[in-house]
């Protein structure tokens, strides 16, 4: 199967136990298999086998920590909208913005804007320099920035529990 096919194929749905295991690991990647087993009523070895299968399927791509950007000196956050000249490919955009360590997320979007970039910087002066560098990219016609005053809701990638109602219900 090609890499492109992987992106377009519909993933197999998780069974309720796998969904609970994924949720527990997403909440705390350091949770032991035994602790997860207590939540899902399985033995630690059974949880490990399921986690291994989820890793093999690509449902779980790795284990990580969540950091406090402000504690690391990244106190200023902004969303920078990039308006591109003509038709610029997502690959070109990705290659350009991936070079910036301040870019924490980038997405192509619908509407007048072509690309929205989330950046974190040490202060406003640093943000100004990053926006100037982004604006100087050859495909960028102009930018528009929005500085975050307060981050009100930040959720890690934690799926709802299987019994949670869907957002559309």
């Amino acid at each position: 199967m090609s890499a492109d096919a992987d992106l377009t194929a519909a993933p197999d749905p998780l069974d309720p136990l796998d969904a609970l295991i994924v949720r527990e690991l997403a909440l705390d990647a350091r949770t032991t298999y035994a602790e997860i087993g207590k939540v899902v009523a399985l033995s630690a070895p059974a949880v490990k086998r399921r986690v291994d299968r989820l890793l093999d399927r690509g449902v779980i791509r790795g284990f990580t920590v969540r950091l406090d950007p402000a504690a690391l000196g990244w106190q200023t956050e902004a969303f920078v909208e990039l308006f591109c000249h003509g038709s610029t490919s997502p690959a070109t955009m990705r290659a350009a913005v991936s070079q910036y360590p301040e870019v924490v997320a980038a997405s192509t979007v619908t509407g007048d804007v072509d690309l929205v970039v989330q950046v974190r910087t040490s202060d406003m002066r640093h943000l100004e320099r990053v926006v100037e560098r982004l604006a100087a990219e050859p495909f960028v016609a102009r930018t528009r920035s929005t500085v975050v005053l307060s981050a009100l809701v930040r959720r890690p990638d934690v799926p709802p529990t299987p019994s949670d109602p869907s957002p559309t219900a």
Side-chain angles (χ1 to χ4, degrees):
M1 182 183 291
S2 73
D4 290 336
D6 289 343
L7 295 176
T8 58
D12 292 333
L14 297 180
D15 70 34
L17 284 177
D18 284 347
L20 284 171
I21 291 168
V22 167
R23 181 174 171 72
E24 291 300 310
L25 286 171
L27 290 169
D28 183 357
R30 293 180 56 167
T31 302
T32 67
Y33 295 139
E35 292 168 330
I36 295 170
K38 289 177 188 174
V39 172
V40 301
L42 290 175
S43 68
V47 171
K48 182 189 181 317
R49 283 191 299 275
R50 283 179 173 261
V51 169
D52 288 344
R53 280 198 308 266
L54 291 164
L55 282 161
D56 290 343
R57 285 179 53 193
V59 173
I60 297 173
R61 294 184 296 170
F63 301 88
T64 189
V65 297
R66 289 187 296 271
L67 303 171
D68 178 359
L72 297 171
W74 298 91
Q75 304 205 22
T76 302
E77 179 180 10
F79 291 90
V80 182
E81 299 173 331
L82 281 68
F83 299 79
C84 299
H85 295 292
S87 179
T88 304
S89 74
T92 298
M93 293 179 207
R94 180 186 309 110
V97 300
S98 294
Q99 298 176 54
Y100 297 84
E102 299 89 352
V103 171
V104 296
S107 302
T108 56
V109 295
T110 62
D112 296 340
V113 175
D114 296 295
L115 177 64
V116 175
V117 180
Q118 179 184 10
V119 298
R120 289 201 177 107
T121 60
S122 57
D123 55 32
M124 290 301 289
R125 182 169 288 153
H126 184 185
L127 175 62
E128 184 177 24
R129 288 192 308 268
V130 171
V131 172
E132 287 173 354
R133 288 182 9 238
L134 286 167
E137 291 291 339
F139 59 88
V140 175
R142 67 183 178 97
T143 65
R144 179 172 56 207
S145 301
T146 303
V147 176
V148 173
L149 298 176
S150 298
L152 301 178
V153 176
R154 296 295 166 101
R155 291 188 178 107
D157 290 333
V158 177
T161 59
S163 61
D164 287 349
S166 70
T168 57

